Amino acid sequence: MEEITVSNGESESASSVSSQRAVVTLASGSLIGLSGRLFGRFFLLLYQVLLARWLGSEQYGLFSLGWTALQLSLYMGPVGIQNAVIRFATPFWKKDQAAFRRVLQQSLGLAILGSLFSGGLLFLVSPFLALFFRKPELQIVWQGVAIAVSYTHL
């Protein structure tokens, strides 16, 4: 293995230097990702505080309920379709383009149907949910969440 002399006079192998560069690249990428997440969370907090002051406590509570339901649906909504695409489309990658395209079209069709069904169902039961929470003004919030669910699951 080729020896490389580093500025402090020590001698290291080329693989050691390349692994150190990889660690530095990984650390800098992680730092950028972490700072981006912190920056985003700060603005989300600022947005929530401003929205609470603008809407008032009762309206902000309704908004928070709808926002939480939307966030929960984002986690549960895809129902593993992305994993199914990876599993069933991968064997056809670069071997059978027609079959590959068919798997992608079927999974996209299922995602569209599922999102429209879940959004439509939530839209239809929104009056009952508003009655359940004893807040008639919550119906419009649930209907807005239903519309958002239909688009976000795509």
Side-chain angles (χ1 to χ4, degrees):
M1 188 163 291
E2 177 181 333
E3 294 288 319
I4 298 176
T5 305
V6 184
S7 62
N8 63 1
E10 295 178 10
S11 179
E12 294 186 17
S13 66
S15 65
S16 175
V17 171
S18 65
S19 67
Q20 287 176 351
R21 287 183 185 148
V23 168
V24 168
T25 302
L26 181 64
S28 64
S30 297
L31 182 63
I32 291 170
L34 177 65
S35 62
R37 284 190 84 132
L38 289 175
F39 191 68
R41 296 294 179 178
F42 171 74
F43 276 111
L44 182 63
L45 176 68
L46 182 66
Y47 166 73
Q48 297 285 329
V49 168
L50 292 175
L51 195 61
R53 292 191 50 87
W54 181 59
L55 289 177
S57 62
E58 185 175 342
Q59 294 296 327
Y60 181 73
L62 296 175
F63 168 79
S64 293
L65 189 60
W67 182 257
T68 302
L70 181 62
Q71 292 299 313
L72 286 174
S73 74
L74 289 176
Y75 289 116
M76 295 183 295
V79 194
I81 287 182
Q82 66 273 26
N83 295 333
V85 168
I86 292 170
R87 178 178 177 169
F88 295 114
T90 303
F92 301 119
W93 178 257
K94 294 188 179 180
K95 294 178 185 172
D96 187 0
Q97 289 296 317
F100 181 74
R101 182 173 288 130
R102 197 168 42 252
V103 169
L104 291 180
Q105 288 171 344
Q106 289 173 352
S107 60
L108 184 60
L110 282 173
I112 290 171
L113 284 176
S115 67
L116 290 176
F117 176 76
S118 61
L121 183 64
L122 182 58
F123 193 87
L124 291 176
V125 300
S126 63
F128 303 108
L129 289 172
L131 288 175
F132 176 76
F133 285 103
R134 296 185 183 104
K135 294 277 186 186
E137 61 272 9
L138 192 57
Q139 180 179 351
I140 191 73
V141 174
W142 286 120
Q143 289 173 343
V145 169
I147 293 169
V149 162
S150 295
Y151 288 108
T152 56
H153 289 176
L154 298 178

